Every structure is written in structure tokens, then in C-alpha cells.
Amino acid sequence: MARFRSWVSIALAGAVGLTLAGCSSTGGKRAEDARKAASAQGRAAVNTPRWTVAMVTHSGDGDTFWDIVQSGAKQAAIKDNINFLYSHSDEAQQQAQLVDAAVDKKVDGLIVTLAKPDAMKAAVARAEKAGIPVITVNSGSEESKKFGALTHIGQDETIAGRAVGEELNKRGRKKALCILHEQGNVGHEQRCAGAKETFKGQMQNLYVEGTNMPDVQSSIGAKLQADKSIDSVVTLGAPFAATAVKAKQDAGSKAEIDTFDLNEKVAGGLKDGTLGFAVDQQPYLQGYEAVDLLWLYRYNADVLGGGKPVLTGPQIITKDQAAKLEEYTNRGTR
Amino acid sequence: MSAAAPGTPPLTDERLLKTSPLRKLMGRPELGSVVGAIAVFLFFAIFADSFLRASSLATVLYASSTIGIMAVPVALLMIGGEFDLSAGVMVTTSALVSSMFSYQMTANVWVGVGVSLLFTLAIGVFNGVMLTRTDPPSFIITLGTFLMLTGMNLGFTKLISGTVSTKSISDMEGFSSAKDVFASTLTVGGVDFKITILWWLALIVVATWILLRTRVGNWIYAVGGGEDAARAVGVPVNKTKIGLYMGVAFGAWISGQHLLFSFEVVQSGEGVGNELIYIIAAVIGGCLITGGYGSAVGAAIGALIFGMTSKGIVFAEWNPDWFKFFLGAMLLLATLLNAWVRKRAEATK
């Protein structure tokens, strides 16, 4: 025991010493704080009552994309004097139960994603029966109106896919690979199908295990080695773009890597030319607008969209806009 | 055991000694979880203002029942000393089979439900037979089944339906009656309760009766306590284990049909990871991971704790990022408490 204690104290002393001795003059928390200072702060800009809005999404744990949606929603909540609650589950049944829980809480507004619309039907109906206004975001543009939601805010995945096909044509690509990292995701299937529709060249789907990055890399690498004629790779999520770049380098391929969604690395990659283009659906806007529109509905009975979905994408981002966006991705709002 | 010396009265057999009711209670496997459940309930009653509303409690009970329907047969299996890692995806498989069979054959929905029951039980038999006829432990065998089912769910759904979720069968004959059985809502005093709560209670009653009042129950405890010893005294070990796996499959069938009839469409990629939640519920409820000890009621209470925590965090308006942390902490606390209670119970015997 005594020996164990002395080891612990040596280790602790060592750790403290290293931290003090090894300050970095670049990056790290200090740089982040400086960036944070440049991002929006705030307090309520209105004197409406403190309404509560709950958001329930189909996200898994620790998802970058949904983090950005949340930060948009939180920013709007600060401005609109709203108490914002967030919960999520990637299991349809759990998500429906979380909506039920929000309805039990008698929230003043509800934001849901309809990635699995049939599973959410009853829960959303229950919310409306309780007189809670519902706005759908991100997925479920077709079902939103049917379920009686005020508005749908998001990107039509098929339209986004078509935009990718067009952009690939513009770049004179002949043979493309569409990387699906979540088997069973309908939205992903629509993206690749949309791209196939407008792309004049050949488009192949490749399924990878998104929760296992080394596997993603080796699968893409193997495919690129096996078929040297592939000249572009489209990934469906920002984190997979960097992995695809690594795979391309390993395979010695010349393919251009393009991606859906943004993050810091993608913005950097666009800037230095390792990536071709990105298709952004502006997640920040999805969260922000959803909260803001619920506030407008509560305050003024305003509804946006005229019964049609409000689209936040696709926005094709190339080298030209990348520099500006890098700053925003850094602070976690793009 | 030496023969009693002549002249001294023979000692009464220790198994015939009367134990006081309190001691009996202290010896129950689920005691620790009952204490835990009360603590969790009081905690959220204090910290989450809307937790005590009738509608909130109905939501909590529903969440608990969807876990509990599986946790009860899984607990029986664990008392029998085995694991089933395929339990989570089996639920999805069961829902997919009934949905796709009905749709593709344009049959009455009940036909699909029946076929699904047979198919799911066959998976259970497969698990049990593989385990009893071959060498590897159940952990490995059901891990294999789990992976195969995950792939089959996706592969077959895509092959047959062309997409990753099934087509809706809500306009087919028999759907509404099946929905009444598996996914209806009962309104009691203005509060909506899901029928899964009744299924859950029925399973608890049946499982408890089997464990405590039948020969099969003794076999389950014996098999879990020591397989060779059980075999030596004439317990049909293989039959018991296959039966237990079929029990899990039956639970998966009920859960699967509930999924299908409450949502009309089944997503093929779901259910992965839930098997661990069922095991956690059983362990919180006092089941030993080594087998031979535990109870169905305990597993049900484990599921209740799980339901209260997962929804209580929402009612308390906490950040759900911490949910898994609480779950892990609770699992550890519950097992420590259970072990302590068991030690005390054995010491006072």
C-alpha cells in the first residue's frame, strides 16, 4: 500500500510538472477562448414569458452535426428568452418515448426530427392533441405536413444529391464513388440516388462501417486500389472526408474527394485543395430557425413556408468561400 | 459428515428450520433492487417537477415495459447460467419477419405474426442447440447469432423491400386486431397506458410462478448453480437450456410485434446494443452473472429503474449526455448493494 501511494504521488507530481513546463504558444484552449470571445454571446432580447421548447432528435451519442444544430437552437433560445431542452436517441422507440416525456412536461413548443416518420406519428399526434405546436427539422419533409406540424426546416436529401451530381458534371468527372457510412439510413440512400440521377458518369455505392474509422479507411482504400478509373469520391459526412483523403493517399489514387456537411477539417481541406467541394445544409440554421419560428408562432401566430418545407440547403461550398467559413467552423457554428 | 454419537438427539435438518419472515425477505435476490428503485423514484420525485404527473408515470411505465418484457426472460436465462447477446436484434428480426411475410404474401397480418413466432422460436432453438451440442460458451455462440441476425435484418430487408425499412402494412386485414393485442392504449382515469405494461406484468407473473412453484424452476436454478451436479441428479440440462433460449425468443417476439404494430414500419438496423440493457436490468435486479441466483421480479424492477432514469433525466431537464454515466454508476451501485445484501442474508442463516 505504502509503495502504491508513493507511486501515485510521483505520477501526480510528474503530471503537474509537465503541464507547467510544457506550455504551447499555438492552438489549445487559449486560442479557443479567443475565438469564443468573437462568437455571439447574449441575453434575452425580448420580454415575452419564459417559454419552454424541447427538441428531440434521432441523433446518436456525441454527434458533431447535432452539436451544431444545438448551438444554433441555444443561440435563438437565449435571444427569445426560451428555456431550451434537448434529448435524443437513435432508436425509434426511444425517440418516440422522449417525445412523450416532453409532452408530459407540457412544453410550449416541440421540435422533432422525422428520420423514422412512422415511429413518430403517434407521439407527434399526442403533442398536437395536447395543443403543443410542433416544428420538424432535418428529416421528414414529406411527412411533416401530414402529421400536422407547422413547418419543416431542412434539406431535401434528393435535391442535395442532385446538386452533387450537377457539380460533378461541372468538374468533368467520369466515375464516382458514394460512401454510405450508416447502413439503413434512408436519407443517405436518397443522397446517393439523387447524385446518381443527375451525374452523367458512373456512380457506385460503397457501404462502410461508420462507427469504425480504420474500417472506413481500408474499405475506401481497397476500392480505390481495385479500380484506378475512379476519379471522385463523395462522402456523406464531414468526418469521413479526411478519412477518404488518407485512403486516397494510401492507394495512390488521383480521385477528388468531395463531401456532404462541413467541419473544421473540411473547411481547411477545401482551402488547401485536398478536397474538391462540400455540400452544406447549414445545421446551425436548422436549430436556430426552429426555435425562432416557435417563438414567432407563440408570440404572433406566424408560420413560415406557406405549407412548403423551408430549405436550409444544399449550398455548394468550394475553395472560394472556404477561408471565411473556416473561422465559423472553428467556433462550432458551421 | 460423521454419524451422530449415540445418546445425543439427532439434529434437525437445517433445511427444515423455520426462518423468520424478515430473514426470508433479506434473502430475496430482488431486495437490493427494490431499495434502489425506491431511492431512484424519490430522487426524481424531488428533483423533477413533472415526474409525478400521472401521464409522466405512464410514460415511465411504458419505457420500463419495453425493456422489461425482454429483461424477464433474459433474467431466467441468466439464472440458468447463460447469456443471450442476440436478444436485442432478435426483436427487430421478429418484427421484420411478420411485416415482410404479411406484405409479400398479401396474407392476413395474423399469418405473419404466427410465422414470426415460429421463426423467432427457431432462432431460440438454434441458440440452445448450438450451445448444448458444441463446446463454445454461450457468450461466443450468441455473439455469432447476434452478428448474423444484424446482417440478415439489413440484407433481407433490402433484398425484399428494396429499402432499409419495411413497407407499411397498416391497411391490411387483421392489422387493427393485432394492434389491439400488441400496441393498443388503455385509458384509465384519463391517463393513457400502453398495453405492453400488461404484457410485462403477465410475463413477470408467469416467470415467477415457473421459478418458485414448478419443477422446471428448480431445474433452472440447478442448471445455473452447477451443470454437472444438476446432470448427476437427473435434471434434463440440455432441454432446460434450449427452453430458456426459447423463452428469450418468445419475449423478443412480443417486443417485435409491439414495435411493428405501434409504428407500422420497421427499421432494419435497430435493436443493436439493447441486449446489454436487458442484461443490465437483470443484474440490477439481483441476477448473478455466474448463474444460479436471481429472480424475475428483480429483473422487472431493474427495468423499472432503467425506465425511471432514462425518462427522469428528461423530466428533470438535465443534459442527456450524462445518461450513460448514470446508468453505469447505477449498475455498479446496484451490484455492490446486491452483493452486500446477499452476504448479510447468508451470514444470518
Side-chain angles (χ1 to χ4, degrees):
Chain A
M1 200 63 214
R3 178 180 295 182
F4 173 73
R5 273 210 200 109
S6 63
W7 273 114
V8 169
S9 48
I10 288 169
L12 276 177
V16 171
L18 280 174
T19 318
L20 290 176
C23 276
S24 164
S25 56
T26 53
K29 177 78 180 146
R30 215 174 300 164
E32 187 195 339
D33 287 342
R35 281 199 304 268
K36 277 262 164 64
S39 73
Q41 304 286 332
R43 50 180 208 284
V46 291
N47 55 5
T48 44
R50 192 157 175 81
W51 291 311
T52 298
V53 167
M55 184 173 196
V56 184
T57 71
H58 65 273
S59 141
D61 286 336
D63 186 307
T64 324
F65 180 91
W66 288 103
D67 230 32
I68 302 172
V69 176
Q70 264 192 85
S71 57
K74 279 178 182 155
Q75 186 57 56
I78 290 172
K79 279 189 190 173
D80 295 341
N81 191 25
I82 277 174
N83 175 24
F84 176 73
L85 308 172
Y86 180 76
S87 56
H88 62 85
S89 173
D90 48 8
E91 291 261 332
Q93 191 172 34
Q94 291 286 331
Q95 200 198 341
Q97 287 174 3
L98 289 168
V99 173
D100 282 342
V103 174
D104 295 334
K105 279 191 69 64
K106 300 197 168 81
V107 293
D108 302 295
L110 188 61
I111 304 163
V112 286
T113 61
L114 302 179
K116 292 135 185 174
D118 303 278
M120 303 304 293
K121 201 191 297 180
V124 171
R126 195 169 163 249
E128 267 142 25
K129 208 172 114 188
I132 298 169
V134 178
I135 284 189
T136 58
V137 291
N138 182 265
S139 40
S141 51
E142 284 163 26
E143 292 81 7
S144 177
K145 203 174 170 181
K146 251 192 322 212
F147 289 8
L150 301 180
T151 310
H152 175 80
I153 303 163
Q155 163 176 276
D156 184 312
E157 301 296 7
T158 313
I159 294 177
R162 285 179 195 147
V164 169
E166 302 279 1
E167 184 70 22
L168 288 172
N169 291 338
K170 226 187 277 174
R171 290 165 179 260
R173 300 287 150 184
K174 295 280 168 287
K175 195 165 189 186
L177 203 56
C178 200
I179 313 291
L180 295 101
H181 60 264
E182 223 177 84
Q183 277 202 1
N185 184 317
V186 183
H188 289 184
E189 301 275 347
Q190 286 170 340
R191 285 179 179 182
C192 290
K196 208 177 213 148
E197 214 175 296
T198 50
F199 183 47
K200 290 194 179 73
Q202 252 193 315
M203 172 76 94
Q204 282 181 330
N205 285 2
L206 177 71
Y207 290 94
V208 293
E209 188 74 48
T211 48
N212 182 350
M213 270 304 180
D215 172 76
V216 175
Q217 189 177 331
S218 57
S219 302
I220 299 174
K223 186 77 194 173
L224 289 175
Q225 268 166 340
D227 189 349
K228 293 283 185 204
S229 63
I230 292 172
D231 57 12
S232 52
V233 176
V234 180
T235 59
L236 300 189
F240 302 95
T243 313
V245 169
K246 279 202 200 86
K248 158 188 153 178
Q249 286 158 352
D250 291 348
S253 155
K254 293 270 180 295
E256 174 188 277
I257 312 289
D258 307 307
T259 185
F260 278 82
D261 299 346
L262 268 182
N263 67 9
E264 220 173 318
K265 265 200 152 135
V266 167
L270 290 171
K271 210 169 74 174
D272 65 24
T274 45
L275 297 176
F277 65 91
V279 191
D280 192 29
Q281 59 170 311
Q282 308 185 79
Y284 189 84
L285 200 54
Q286 290 177 8
Y288 185 94
E289 285 301 326
V291 172
D292 210 25
L293 288 181
L294 280 171
W295 180 85
L296 278 167
Y297 180 78
R298 279 258 162 220
Y299 171 69
N300 208 26
D302 281 333
V303 178
L304 195 67
K308 291 265 189 301
V310 177
L311 298 183
T312 61
Q315 190 187 26
I316 301 271
I317 293 165
T318 56
K319 201 170 181 160
D320 315 335
Q321 305 97 349
K324 183 158 46 135
L325 289 189
E326 195 177 23
E327 180 193 330
Y328 302 151
T329 50
N330 272 342
R331 67 179 192 209
T333 58
R334 278 305 293 261
Chain B
M1 192 68 194
S2 60
T8 51
L11 285 167
T12 40
D13 191 326
E14 52 135 20
R15 287 170 299 183
L16 298 177
L17 280 177
K18 279 267 178 285
T19 44
S20 69
L22 187 72
R23 281 236 176 107
K24 256 196 187 133
L25 188 74
M26 283 296 287
R28 295 294 311 155
E30 60 270 10
L31 181 72
S33 64
V34 172
V35 174
I38 292 170
V40 170
F41 181 85
L42 288 176
F43 179 83
F44 283 115
I46 294 163
F47 286 101
D49 51 358
S50 46
F51 186 74
L52 285 178
R53 279 184 202 149
S55 64
S56 308
L57 291 175
T59 302
V60 166
L61 276 179
Y62 172 50
S64 309
S65 70
T66 50
I67 305 286
I69 286 173
M70 287 304 288
V72 169
V74 164
L76 255 56
L77 179 70
M78 282 173 69
I79 295 168
E82 301 296 347
F83 279 111
D84 191 349
L85 295 181
S86 65
V89 282
M90 207 191 290
V91 171
T92 313
T93 306
S94 170
L96 288 170
V97 168
S98 47
S99 158
M100 289 198 289
F101 190 88
S102 307
Y103 187 88
Q104 298 298 332
M105 301 288 161
T106 325
N108 184 306
V109 169
W110 280 103
V111 177
V113 172
V115 168
S116 166
L117 175 62
L118 293 176
F119 188 88
T120 318
L121 287 177
I123 300 172
V125 171
F126 173 82
N127 275 337
V129 168
M130 283 296 285
L131 175 79
T132 49
R133 292 293 154 86
T134 60
D135 212 17
S138 59
F139 188 91
I140 304 294
I141 285 175
T142 56
L143 191 62
T145 318
F146 155 72
L147 291 170
M148 289 195 299
L149 286 179
T150 312
M152 273 168 57
N153 285 351
L154 205 56
F156 274 118
T157 310
K158 205 127 190 212
L159 193 71
I160 294 168
S161 306
T163 59
V164 289
S165 57
T166 62
K167 302 209 166 46
S168 177
I169 56 165
S170 56
D171 53 356
M172 294 178 68
E173 250 173 66
F175 185 87
S176 58
S177 60
K179 188 177 172 126
D180 287 345
V181 173
F182 291 108
S184 58
T185 309
L186 311 163
T187 311
V188 184
V191 185
D192 294 344
F193 290 96
K194 289 273 196 313
I195 199 162
T196 45
I197 300 169
L198 289 184
W199 278 102
W200 181 35
L201 291 173
L203 278 176
I204 298 167
V205 170
V206 170
T208 308
W209 175 76
I210 289 176
L211 277 179
L212 301 181
R213 290 272 175 269
T214 67
R215 202 169 50 156
V216 177
N218 288 338
W219 290 348
I220 295 172
Y221 279 113
V223 165
E227 203 175 313
D228 297 335
R231 200 174 266 120
V233 296
V235 173
V237 172
N238 292 1
K239 266 192 197 153
T240 307
K241 288 199 169 170
I242 293 171
L244 286 171
Y245 275 106
M246 287 172 77
V248 174
F250 181 74
W253 174 72
I254 296 173
S255 304
Q257 304 318 297
H258 169 68
L259 271 187
L260 170 61
F261 291 109
S262 52
F263 302 149
E264 297 163 21
V265 165
V266 190
Q267 298 283 334
S268 56
E270 293 198 338
V272 176
N274 287 352
E275 63 280 344
L276 291 176
I277 290 172
Y278 310 143
I279 291 172
I280 289 169
V283 169
I284 288 179
C287 288
L288 276 187
I289 218 111
T290 47
Y293 190 83
S295 78
V297 176
I301 293 171
L304 183 66
I305 290 179
F306 191 93
M308 285 195 291
T309 313
S310 68
K311 299 299 166 281
I313 284 176
V314 178
F315 292 124
E317 305 191 3
W318 291 344
N319 185 340
D321 292 353
W322 294 92
F323 171 65
K324 291 261 165 57
F325 173 83
F326 283 120
L327 194 62
M330 237 165 37
L331 176 68
L332 285 178
L333 278 174
T335 26
L336 291 173
L337 184 68
N338 287 339
W340 181 78
V341 167
R342 207 167 43 243
K343 261 213 191 80
R344 288 290 309 268
E346 277 161 9
T348 54
K349 256 188 188 146

